[in-house]
Amino acid sequence: MSRVELDLDPVTHLTADAIGQPGQRVFYLQGTQDERVVTLLVEKIQIQSLAEGLDDFLKEVFERFPDLSADSDAYDEAKMRILPPVDPLFRAGELGLGYDSDRDLVCLIAKEILSGEMEPDDASVVRFWATRSQMRAMTQWGLDVASHGRPICPQCGEPMDPAGHFCPKKNGHKH
Ligand SMILES: [Zn+2]
């Protein structure tokens, strides 16, 4: 794939979501700008650390710009589900945050993960420009999705596969 560099400036919508059976879910970041949809592959842990990183980041923004209005992490679940077609542009490696104080917009910078012979300059980049509340809603929803994992077995405390669970407390019998 040749290198791409895209700016969704600003996004009309931003979300993170997972698709697949519990235990085998694949996580995505998706930004929309009008008709344009950009989807990236991410790991669950990247969503979780992004949520933490955003908290710290916005704390610093508020220290520098104390007059900013409060932001909100409220989201409408019906709008947070990923939109088809799910055709990821690349798998994200590094995720970074920036802030444009003139426009009060947060920039989520997603760089393609390096593989094989790729040099850092070969990595594609997508920048999603979003309001503070859009970013908060995305990470809050992403955290909620990430925590909806497999149900826990009441016998052994291990996560249960929907296809069946071989419980060590029951000598490996399916239950
Ligand atoms: Zn069990």
Side-chain angles (χ1 to χ4, degrees), residues 35-75:
E35 301 298 296
R36 185 190 221 179
V37 180
V38 176
T39 308
L40 304 179
L41 277 162
V42 289
E43 301 288 341
K44 180 165 92 171
I45 185 82
Q46 287 177 291
I47 306 270
Q48 292 165 323
S49 30
L50 179 63
E52 234 171 81
L54 180 70
D55 264 358
D56 294 343
F57 183 83
L58 290 182
K59 251 177 233 157
E60 282 173 33
V61 167
F62 268 106
E63 278 166 22
R64 279 168 55 206
F65 305 99
D67 296 336
L68 284 176
S69 60
D71 49 59
S72 153
D73 62 4
Y75 60 76

Side-chain angles (χ1 to χ4, degrees), residues 5-134:
E5 186 160 352
L6 291 175
D7 273 277
L8 272 67
D9 188 8
V11 297
T12 33
H13 189 56
L14 184 66
T15 192
D17 200 6
I19 297 179
Q21 291 300 315
Q24 294 157 2
R25 294 187 302 167
V26 178
F27 286 78
Y28 300 91
L29 258 180
Q30 188 178 65
T32 311
Q33 184 184 30
D34 304 319
E35 301 298 296
R36 185 190 221 179
V37 180
V38 176
T39 308
L40 304 179
L41 277 162
V42 289
E43 301 288 341
K44 180 165 92 171
I45 185 82
Q46 287 177 291
I47 306 270
Q48 292 165 323
S49 30
L50 179 63
E52 234 171 81
L54 180 70
D55 264 358
D56 294 343
F57 183 83
L58 290 182
K59 251 177 233 157
E60 282 173 33
V61 167
F62 268 106
E63 278 166 22
R64 279 168 55 206
F65 305 99
D67 296 336
L68 284 176
S69 60
D71 49 59
S72 153
D73 62 4
Y75 60 76
D76 175 356
E77 180 165 348
K79 291 187 183 148
M80 299 309 279
R81 287 290 172 196
I82 195 166
L83 291 174
V86 178
D87 183 16
L89 193 59
F90 56 76
R91 177 173 285 283
E94 196 184 317
L95 296 177
L97 291 168
Y99 182 66
D100 177 350
S101 58
D102 290 341
R103 298 190 297 158
D104 187 17
L105 286 181
V106 177
C107 182
L108 170 60
I109 307 137
K111 285 190 186 158
E112 182 181 11
I113 198 164
L114 295 180
S115 59
E117 303 287 290
M118 278 172 68
E119 301 287 335
D121 287 348
D122 300 336
S124 295
V125 182
V126 179
R127 285 179 289 266
F128 301 96
W129 293 86
T131 65
R132 288 177 281 119
S133 293
Q134 281 174 322

Side-chain angles (χ1 to χ4, degrees), residues 152-160 165-170 173 175:
I152 299 298
C153 170
Q155 308 284 334
C156 67
E158 294 293 321
M160 294 193 291
H165 168 65
F166 292 90
C167 187
K169 286 274 161 93
K170 294 205 161 182
H173 293 300
H175 68 87

